Amino acid sequence: YAISLRTRAWIETHFGWLKAAAGMRQVKQRGLTKVEALFQLAMAASNLVRLPKLIAAGAA
């Protein structure tokens, strides 16, 4: 249960970032394939934002 709570909080931070920074609060595209592509692009951007922090943690 504790692992589930921690994982859920981690996932919610990413969805919060998508809504706030990536502009996914209200999408302007129509159609499932276009929205899915936008979502995947935004999640890739989220990973790129996290990458320097992960590299710094790995080097330490």
Short mmCIF file of all heavy atoms in Angstrom, two decimals:
data_model
loop_
_atom_site.label_atom_id
_atom_site.label_comp_id
_atom_site.label_asym_id
_atom_site.label_seq_id
_atom_site.Cartn_x
_atom_site.Cartn_y
_atom_site.Cartn_z
N TYR A 1 0.83 -1.20 0.00
CA TYR A 1 0.00 0.00 0.00
C TYR A 1 0.87 1.25 0.00
O TYR A 1 0.57 2.22 -0.71
CB TYR A 1 -0.94 -0.03 1.20
CG TYR A 1 -1.87 1.15 1.26
CD1 TYR A 1 -2.94 1.25 0.37
CD2 TYR A 1 -1.69 2.16 2.19
CE1 TYR A 1 -3.80 2.33 0.41
CE2 TYR A 1 -2.55 3.23 2.24
CZ TYR A 1 -3.60 3.32 1.35
OH TYR A 1 -4.45 4.38 1.39
N ALA A 2 1.95 1.23 0.78
CA ALA A 2 2.85 2.40 0.83
C ALA A 2 3.51 2.63 -0.52
O ALA A 2 3.66 3.78 -0.95
CB ALA A 2 3.89 2.20 1.92
N ILE A 3 3.89 1.56 -1.19
CA ILE A 3 4.50 1.71 -2.51
C ILE A 3 3.49 2.28 -3.49
O ILE A 3 3.82 3.14 -4.31
CB ILE A 3 5.03 0.34 -3.00
CG1 ILE A 3 6.19 -0.11 -2.12
CG2 ILE A 3 5.47 0.42 -4.46
CD1 ILE A 3 6.64 -1.52 -2.39
N SER A 4 2.25 1.84 -3.39
CA SER A 4 1.19 2.34 -4.26
C SER A 4 0.98 3.83 -4.05
O SER A 4 0.82 4.60 -5.02
CB SER A 4 -0.11 1.58 -4.00
OG SER A 4 -1.16 2.15 -4.73
N LEU A 5 0.97 4.27 -2.81
CA LEU A 5 0.80 5.71 -2.53
C LEU A 5 1.95 6.54 -3.09
O LEU A 5 1.74 7.61 -3.66
CB LEU A 5 0.68 5.93 -1.03
CG LEU A 5 -0.63 5.50 -0.38
CD1 LEU A 5 -0.56 5.74 1.12
CD2 LEU A 5 -1.79 6.25 -0.98
N ARG A 6 3.17 6.03 -2.93
CA ARG A 6 4.34 6.75 -3.42
C ARG A 6 4.32 6.82 -4.95
O ARG A 6 4.60 7.87 -5.53
CB ARG A 6 5.61 6.03 -2.95
CG ARG A 6 6.82 6.90 -2.94
CD ARG A 6 7.99 6.25 -2.24
NE ARG A 6 7.58 5.17 -1.36
CZ ARG A 6 8.23 4.02 -1.23
NH1 ARG A 6 9.34 3.80 -1.89
NH2 ARG A 6 7.80 3.08 -0.40
N THR A 7 3.96 5.72 -5.59
CA THR A 7 3.89 5.70 -7.04
C THR A 7 2.79 6.62 -7.55
O THR A 7 2.99 7.35 -8.53
CB THR A 7 3.63 4.26 -7.54
OG1 THR A 7 4.64 3.41 -7.02
CG2 THR A 7 3.62 4.19 -9.04
N ARG A 8 1.65 6.60 -6.89
CA ARG A 8 0.54 7.47 -7.29
C ARG A 8 0.94 8.94 -7.17
O ARG A 8 0.62 9.74 -8.06
CB ARG A 8 -0.67 7.17 -6.43
CG ARG A 8 -1.93 7.82 -6.94
CD ARG A 8 -3.13 7.44 -6.11
NE ARG A 8 -3.26 6.00 -6.03
CZ ARG A 8 -3.84 5.35 -5.02
NH1 ARG A 8 -4.37 6.03 -4.02
NH2 ARG A 8 -3.93 4.05 -5.01
N ALA A 9 1.64 9.31 -6.11
CA ALA A 9 2.08 10.70 -5.94
C ALA A 9 3.06 11.09 -7.03
O ALA A 9 3.01 12.21 -7.56
CB ALA A 9 2.70 10.87 -4.56
N TRP A 10 3.95 10.17 -7.40
CA TRP A 10 4.93 10.43 -8.45
C TRP A 10 4.23 10.66 -9.78
O TRP A 10 4.57 11.58 -10.53
CB TRP A 10 5.91 9.26 -8.52
CG TRP A 10 6.99 9.43 -9.52
CD1 TRP A 10 8.09 10.22 -9.41
CD2 TRP A 10 7.07 8.81 -10.80
NE1 TRP A 10 8.86 10.11 -10.54
CE2 TRP A 10 8.25 9.25 -11.40
CE3 TRP A 10 6.26 7.92 -11.47
CZ2 TRP A 10 8.64 8.84 -12.66
CZ3 TRP A 10 6.66 7.50 -12.73
CH2 TRP A 10 7.83 7.96 -13.30
N ILE A 11 3.25 9.83 -10.08
CA ILE A 11 2.50 9.97 -11.33
C ILE A 11 1.71 11.27 -11.35
O ILE A 11 1.66 11.97 -12.37
CB ILE A 11 1.58 8.75 -11.54
CG1 ILE A 11 2.43 7.52 -11.82
CG2 ILE A 11 0.58 9.00 -12.65
CD1 ILE A 11 1.66 6.23 -11.82
N GLU A 12 1.12 11.63 -10.23
CA GLU A 12 0.34 12.87 -10.16
C GLU A 12 1.20 14.11 -10.38
O GLU A 12 0.73 15.09 -10.94
CB GLU A 12 -0.40 12.97 -8.82
CG GLU A 12 -1.60 12.06 -8.74
CD GLU A 12 -2.68 12.39 -9.77
OE1 GLU A 12 -2.89 13.59 -10.05
OE2 GLU A 12 -3.28 11.45 -10.28
N THR A 13 2.47 14.08 -9.96
CA THR A 13 3.35 15.22 -10.21
C THR A 13 3.56 15.39 -11.71
O THR A 13 3.61 16.52 -12.20
CB THR A 13 4.70 15.08 -9.50
OG1 THR A 13 5.35 13.88 -9.94
CG2 THR A 13 4.53 15.06 -8.01
N HIS A 14 3.67 14.28 -12.44
CA HIS A 14 3.85 14.37 -13.89
C HIS A 14 2.59 14.89 -14.58
O HIS A 14 2.68 15.73 -15.48
CB HIS A 14 4.24 13.01 -14.47
CG HIS A 14 5.64 12.63 -14.13
ND1 HIS A 14 6.72 13.19 -14.75
CD2 HIS A 14 6.13 11.79 -13.20
CE1 HIS A 14 7.82 12.70 -14.23
NE2 HIS A 14 7.48 11.84 -13.29
N PHE A 15 1.44 14.42 -14.16
CA PHE A 15 0.21 14.92 -14.75
C PHE A 15 -0.01 16.39 -14.39
O PHE A 15 -0.52 17.16 -15.20
CB PHE A 15 -1.00 14.08 -14.33
CG PHE A 15 -1.13 12.82 -15.13
CD1 PHE A 15 -0.85 11.59 -14.57
CD2 PHE A 15 -1.54 12.87 -16.45
CE1 PHE A 15 -0.98 10.43 -15.32
CE2 PHE A 15 -1.67 11.72 -17.20
CZ PHE A 15 -1.39 10.49 -16.63
N GLY A 16 0.39 16.79 -13.21
CA GLY A 16 0.32 18.20 -12.83
C GLY A 16 1.22 19.06 -13.70
O GLY A 16 0.85 20.16 -14.11
N TRP A 17 2.43 18.54 -13.99
CA TRP A 17 3.34 19.27 -14.86
C TRP A 17 2.75 19.38 -16.26
O TRP A 17 2.86 20.43 -16.91
CB TRP A 17 4.70 18.56 -14.92
CG TRP A 17 5.71 19.32 -15.73
CD1 TRP A 17 6.53 20.32 -15.29
CD2 TRP A 17 5.97 19.17 -17.12
NE1 TRP A 17 7.29 20.79 -16.33
CE2 TRP A 17 6.97 20.10 -17.47
CE3 TRP A 17 5.47 18.35 -18.11
CZ2 TRP A 17 7.47 20.22 -18.75
CZ3 TRP A 17 5.97 18.47 -19.40
CH2 TRP A 17 6.96 19.40 -19.71
N LEU A 18 2.13 18.30 -16.73
CA LEU A 18 1.51 18.33 -18.06
C LEU A 18 0.44 19.41 -18.14
O LEU A 18 0.33 20.12 -19.13
CB LEU A 18 0.89 16.98 -18.39
CG LEU A 18 1.84 15.86 -18.77
CD1 LEU A 18 1.07 14.57 -18.95
CD2 LEU A 18 2.61 16.20 -20.01
N LYS A 19 -0.35 19.53 -17.09
CA LYS A 19 -1.43 20.52 -17.10
C LYS A 19 -0.88 21.94 -16.99
O LYS A 19 -1.34 22.85 -17.67
CB LYS A 19 -2.40 20.26 -15.95
CG LYS A 19 -3.26 19.04 -16.16
CD LYS A 19 -4.18 18.87 -14.97
CE LYS A 19 -5.10 17.69 -15.15
NZ LYS A 19 -5.99 17.52 -14.00
N ALA A 20 0.10 22.13 -16.13
CA ALA A 20 0.59 23.48 -15.86
C ALA A 20 1.57 23.98 -16.92
O ALA A 20 1.40 25.07 -17.46
CB ALA A 20 1.26 23.52 -14.48
N ALA A 21 2.60 23.20 -17.22
CA ALA A 21 3.69 23.68 -18.07
C ALA A 21 3.51 23.29 -19.53
O ALA A 21 3.88 24.05 -20.43
CB ALA A 21 5.02 23.15 -17.56
N ALA A 22 2.97 22.12 -19.79
CA ALA A 22 2.90 21.64 -21.17
C ALA A 22 1.61 22.04 -21.87
O ALA A 22 1.43 21.72 -23.04
CB ALA A 22 3.06 20.12 -21.19
N GLY A 23 0.72 22.70 -21.19
CA GLY A 23 -0.50 23.17 -21.82
C GLY A 23 -1.51 22.09 -22.15
O GLY A 23 -2.26 22.21 -23.11
N MET A 24 -1.54 21.04 -21.36
CA MET A 24 -2.46 19.94 -21.64
C MET A 24 -3.73 20.03 -20.81
O MET A 24 -4.49 19.08 -20.72
CB MET A 24 -1.79 18.59 -21.38
CG MET A 24 -0.66 18.25 -22.29
SD MET A 24 -1.05 17.25 -23.71
CE MET A 24 -2.17 16.04 -23.16
N ARG A 25 -3.96 21.18 -20.18
CA ARG A 25 -5.19 21.33 -19.42
C ARG A 25 -6.41 21.25 -20.34
O ARG A 25 -7.41 20.63 -20.04
CB ARG A 25 -5.20 22.66 -18.66
CG ARG A 25 -6.41 22.80 -17.75
CD ARG A 25 -6.27 23.99 -16.84
NE ARG A 25 -5.12 23.92 -15.96
CZ ARG A 25 -5.08 23.28 -14.80
NH1 ARG A 25 -6.12 22.61 -14.40
NH2 ARG A 25 -3.99 23.29 -14.06
N GLN A 26 -6.29 21.89 -21.49
CA GLN A 26 -7.35 21.81 -22.49
C GLN A 26 -6.67 21.73 -23.85
O GLN A 26 -6.07 22.70 -24.32
CB GLN A 26 -8.25 23.03 -22.42
CG GLN A 26 -9.41 22.96 -23.38
CD GLN A 26 -10.37 24.12 -23.20
OE1 GLN A 26 -10.09 25.05 -22.45
NE2 GLN A 26 -11.48 24.08 -23.87
N VAL A 27 -6.75 20.58 -24.46
CA VAL A 27 -6.07 20.38 -25.74
C VAL A 27 -6.85 21.05 -26.87
O VAL A 27 -8.07 21.20 -26.80
CB VAL A 27 -5.86 18.88 -26.04
CG1 VAL A 27 -4.93 18.26 -25.02
CG2 VAL A 27 -7.16 18.14 -26.09
N LYS A 28 -6.12 21.44 -27.89
CA LYS A 28 -6.74 22.12 -29.02
C LYS A 28 -6.92 21.18 -30.21
O LYS A 28 -7.50 21.56 -31.20
CB LYS A 28 -5.88 23.31 -29.42
CG LYS A 28 -5.87 24.38 -28.34
CD LYS A 28 -4.81 25.43 -28.63
CE LYS A 28 -4.78 26.49 -27.57
NZ LYS A 28 -4.43 26.00 -26.25
N GLN A 29 -6.40 19.96 -30.09
CA GLN A 29 -6.54 18.98 -31.16
C GLN A 29 -7.83 18.20 -30.98
O GLN A 29 -8.35 18.08 -29.88
CB GLN A 29 -5.36 18.01 -31.18
CG GLN A 29 -4.07 18.63 -31.68
CD GLN A 29 -3.43 19.58 -30.70
OE1 GLN A 29 -3.71 19.53 -29.52
NE2 GLN A 29 -2.58 20.46 -31.18
N ARG A 30 -8.29 17.64 -32.07
CA ARG A 30 -9.46 16.78 -32.03
C ARG A 30 -9.07 15.42 -32.57
O ARG A 30 -8.30 15.32 -33.52
CB ARG A 30 -10.60 17.36 -32.90
CG ARG A 30 -11.14 18.67 -32.38
CD ARG A 30 -11.86 18.47 -31.05
NE ARG A 30 -12.34 19.73 -30.51
CZ ARG A 30 -11.78 20.32 -29.46
NH1 ARG A 30 -10.74 19.79 -28.87
NH2 ARG A 30 -12.26 21.44 -29.01
N GLY A 31 -9.58 14.40 -31.94
CA GLY A 31 -9.30 13.04 -32.38
C GLY A 31 -8.34 12.35 -31.43
O GLY A 31 -7.40 12.96 -30.90
N LEU A 32 -8.59 11.09 -31.21
CA LEU A 32 -7.81 10.32 -30.25
C LEU A 32 -6.35 10.20 -30.65
O LEU A 32 -5.46 10.33 -29.82
CB LEU A 32 -8.43 8.93 -30.07
CG LEU A 32 -7.85 8.06 -28.99
CD1 LEU A 32 -7.96 8.73 -27.63
CD2 LEU A 32 -8.53 6.71 -28.96
N THR A 33 -6.07 9.99 -31.93
CA THR A 33 -4.68 9.81 -32.35
C THR A 33 -3.87 11.10 -32.18
O THR A 33 -2.71 11.04 -31.77
CB THR A 33 -4.62 9.33 -33.82
OG1 THR A 33 -5.32 10.25 -34.64
CG2 THR A 33 -5.22 7.96 -33.97
N LYS A 34 -4.49 12.24 -32.48
CA LYS A 34 -3.77 13.51 -32.33
C LYS A 34 -3.53 13.83 -30.85
O LYS A 34 -2.44 14.29 -30.49
CB LYS A 34 -4.54 14.64 -32.99
CG LYS A 34 -4.55 14.55 -34.50
CD LYS A 34 -5.31 15.70 -35.11
CE LYS A 34 -5.36 15.59 -36.62
NZ LYS A 34 -6.11 16.68 -37.23
N VAL A 35 -4.51 13.59 -30.01
CA VAL A 35 -4.35 13.87 -28.59
C VAL A 35 -3.34 12.91 -27.98
O VAL A 35 -2.52 13.30 -27.14
CB VAL A 35 -5.72 13.79 -27.86
CG1 VAL A 35 -5.54 13.90 -26.36
CG2 VAL A 35 -6.64 14.88 -28.37
N GLU A 36 -3.35 11.65 -28.41
CA GLU A 36 -2.38 10.69 -27.90
C GLU A 36 -0.96 11.08 -28.31
O GLU A 36 -0.03 10.99 -27.50
CB GLU A 36 -2.71 9.30 -28.44
CG GLU A 36 -1.79 8.22 -27.89
CD GLU A 36 -2.13 6.84 -28.41
OE1 GLU A 36 -3.06 6.72 -29.22
OE2 GLU A 36 -1.46 5.90 -27.98
N ALA A 37 -0.79 11.54 -29.54
CA ALA A 37 0.53 11.98 -29.98
C ALA A 37 1.00 13.19 -29.18
O ALA A 37 2.17 13.27 -28.79
CB ALA A 37 0.49 12.31 -31.47
N LEU A 38 0.10 14.11 -28.91
CA LEU A 38 0.44 15.29 -28.11
C LEU A 38 0.82 14.88 -26.69
O LEU A 38 1.78 15.40 -26.12
CB LEU A 38 -0.74 16.26 -28.09
CG LEU A 38 -0.53 17.55 -27.31
CD1 LEU A 38 0.56 18.39 -27.95
CD2 LEU A 38 -1.82 18.34 -27.23
N PHE A 39 0.08 13.93 -26.14
CA PHE A 39 0.38 13.44 -24.79
C PHE A 39 1.76 12.79 -24.74
O PHE A 39 2.54 13.04 -23.82
CB PHE A 39 -0.70 12.45 -24.34
CG PHE A 39 -0.44 11.84 -23.00
CD1 PHE A 39 -0.69 12.55 -21.85
CD2 PHE A 39 0.06 10.55 -22.90
CE1 PHE A 39 -0.45 12.00 -20.61
CE2 PHE A 39 0.31 9.99 -21.66
CZ PHE A 39 0.05 10.71 -20.51
N GLN A 40 2.08 11.96 -25.72
CA GLN A 40 3.38 11.30 -25.75
C GLN A 40 4.50 12.31 -25.91
O GLN A 40 5.56 12.17 -25.28
CB GLN A 40 3.42 10.26 -26.85
CG GLN A 40 2.59 9.05 -26.55
CD GLN A 40 2.65 8.00 -27.64
OE1 GLN A 40 3.27 8.21 -28.69
NE2 GLN A 40 1.98 6.89 -27.41
N LEU A 41 4.29 13.32 -26.72
CA LEU A 41 5.30 14.36 -26.89
C LEU A 41 5.51 15.14 -25.59
O LEU A 41 6.64 15.43 -25.20
CB LEU A 41 4.87 15.32 -28.01
CG LEU A 41 5.84 16.45 -28.33
CD1 LEU A 41 7.13 15.88 -28.91
CD2 LEU A 41 5.20 17.42 -29.29
N ALA A 42 4.41 15.44 -24.90
CA ALA A 42 4.51 16.17 -23.63
C ALA A 42 5.20 15.32 -22.57
O ALA A 42 5.99 15.84 -21.77
CB ALA A 42 3.13 16.59 -23.16
N MET A 43 4.93 14.02 -22.54
CA MET A 43 5.60 13.15 -21.56
C MET A 43 7.09 13.02 -21.88
O MET A 43 7.92 12.96 -20.97
CB MET A 43 4.95 11.77 -21.53
CG MET A 43 3.61 11.77 -20.81
SD MET A 43 3.66 12.45 -19.14
CE MET A 43 4.57 11.20 -18.28
N ALA A 44 7.45 13.00 -23.16
CA ALA A 44 8.86 12.99 -23.53
C ALA A 44 9.54 14.27 -23.07
O ALA A 44 10.67 14.25 -22.58
CB ALA A 44 9.00 12.81 -25.04
N ALA A 45 8.85 15.39 -23.22
CA ALA A 45 9.38 16.67 -22.74
C ALA A 45 9.55 16.64 -21.22
O ALA A 45 10.53 17.16 -20.69
CB ALA A 45 8.47 17.81 -23.16
N SER A 46 8.62 16.02 -20.53
CA SER A 46 8.71 15.90 -19.08
C SER A 46 9.95 15.10 -18.70
O SER A 46 10.67 15.46 -17.76
CB SER A 46 7.45 15.21 -18.53
OG SER A 46 7.60 14.90 -17.17
N ASN A 47 10.22 14.03 -19.44
CA ASN A 47 11.41 13.24 -19.16
C ASN A 47 12.68 14.03 -19.45
O ASN A 47 13.68 13.91 -18.72
CB ASN A 47 11.39 11.95 -19.98
CG ASN A 47 10.37 10.97 -19.48
OD1 ASN A 47 10.00 11.00 -18.31
ND2 ASN A 47 9.90 10.11 -20.35
N LEU A 48 12.67 14.84 -20.51
CA LEU A 48 13.85 15.66 -20.81
C LEU A 48 14.09 16.72 -19.75
O LEU A 48 15.24 17.06 -19.46
CB LEU A 48 13.69 16.31 -22.19
CG LEU A 48 13.79 15.36 -23.37
CD1 LEU A 48 13.48 16.11 -24.66
CD2 LEU A 48 15.16 14.73 -23.44
N VAL A 49 13.02 17.23 -19.17
CA VAL A 49 13.17 18.21 -18.09
C VAL A 49 13.79 17.55 -16.87
O VAL A 49 14.62 18.14 -16.18
CB VAL A 49 11.80 18.83 -17.75
CG1 VAL A 49 11.85 19.61 -16.45
CG2 VAL A 49 11.34 19.74 -18.88
N ARG A 50 13.44 16.29 -16.61
CA ARG A 50 13.95 15.57 -15.45
C ARG A 50 15.37 15.07 -15.65
O ARG A 50 16.08 14.78 -14.69
CB ARG A 50 13.06 14.36 -15.16
CG ARG A 50 11.70 14.70 -14.65
CD ARG A 50 10.86 13.47 -14.41
NE ARG A 50 11.56 12.45 -13.65
CZ ARG A 50 11.64 11.16 -14.02
NH1 ARG A 50 11.08 10.74 -15.11
NH2 ARG A 50 12.28 10.30 -13.26
N LEU A 51 15.82 14.91 -16.89
CA LEU A 51 17.08 14.28 -17.20
C LEU A 51 18.30 14.89 -16.52
O LEU A 51 19.11 14.15 -15.95
CB LEU A 51 17.27 14.25 -18.72
CG LEU A 51 18.33 13.31 -19.25
CD1 LEU A 51 18.02 11.88 -18.86
CD2 LEU A 51 18.42 13.43 -20.75
N PRO A 52 18.51 16.21 -16.50
CA PRO A 52 19.70 16.76 -15.82
C PRO A 52 19.74 16.41 -14.34
O PRO A 52 20.81 16.11 -13.78
CB PRO A 52 19.57 18.27 -16.02
CG PRO A 52 18.72 18.42 -17.22
CD PRO A 52 17.77 17.27 -17.19
N LYS A 53 18.60 16.42 -13.69
CA LYS A 53 18.55 16.07 -12.26
C LYS A 53 18.91 14.61 -12.05
O LYS A 53 19.66 14.27 -11.12
CB LYS A 53 17.15 16.35 -11.71
CG LYS A 53 17.01 16.13 -10.24
CD LYS A 53 15.62 16.48 -9.78
CE LYS A 53 15.44 16.21 -8.30
NZ LYS A 53 14.09 16.50 -7.84
N LEU A 54 18.44 13.74 -12.94
CA LEU A 54 18.76 12.32 -12.82
C LEU A 54 20.24 12.05 -13.09
O LEU A 54 20.86 11.22 -12.41
CB LEU A 54 17.88 11.51 -13.78
CG LEU A 54 16.40 11.51 -13.49
CD1 LEU A 54 15.64 10.80 -14.60
CD2 LEU A 54 16.12 10.83 -12.16
N ILE A 55 20.81 12.75 -14.07
CA ILE A 55 22.23 12.58 -14.38
C ILE A 55 23.08 13.06 -13.20
O ILE A 55 24.05 12.42 -12.81
CB ILE A 55 22.59 13.31 -15.68
CG1 ILE A 55 21.94 12.60 -16.85
CG2 ILE A 55 24.10 13.40 -15.86
CD1 ILE A 55 22.08 13.34 -18.18
N ALA A 56 22.70 14.19 -12.61
CA ALA A 56 23.45 14.72 -11.46
C ALA A 56 23.36 13.77 -10.27
O ALA A 56 24.35 13.58 -9.57
CB ALA A 56 22.93 16.10 -11.08
N ALA A 57 22.22 13.16 -10.07
CA ALA A 57 22.06 12.22 -8.96
C ALA A 57 22.88 10.97 -9.21
O ALA A 57 23.43 10.38 -8.27
CB ALA A 57 20.60 11.87 -8.77
N GLY A 58 23.00 10.55 -10.46
CA GLY A 58 23.77 9.36 -10.78
C GLY A 58 25.27 9.60 -10.67
O GLY A 58 26.02 8.69 -10.34
N ALA A 59 25.71 10.82 -10.92
CA ALA A 59 27.13 11.14 -10.84
C ALA A 59 27.60 11.30 -9.39
O ALA A 59 28.78 11.14 -9.10
CB ALA A 59 27.43 12.43 -11.62
N ALA A 60 26.68 11.60 -8.51
CA ALA A 60 27.04 11.84 -7.11
C ALA A 60 27.31 10.57 -6.36
O ALA A 60 27.07 9.50 -6.66
CB ALA A 60 25.94 12.62 -6.40
#
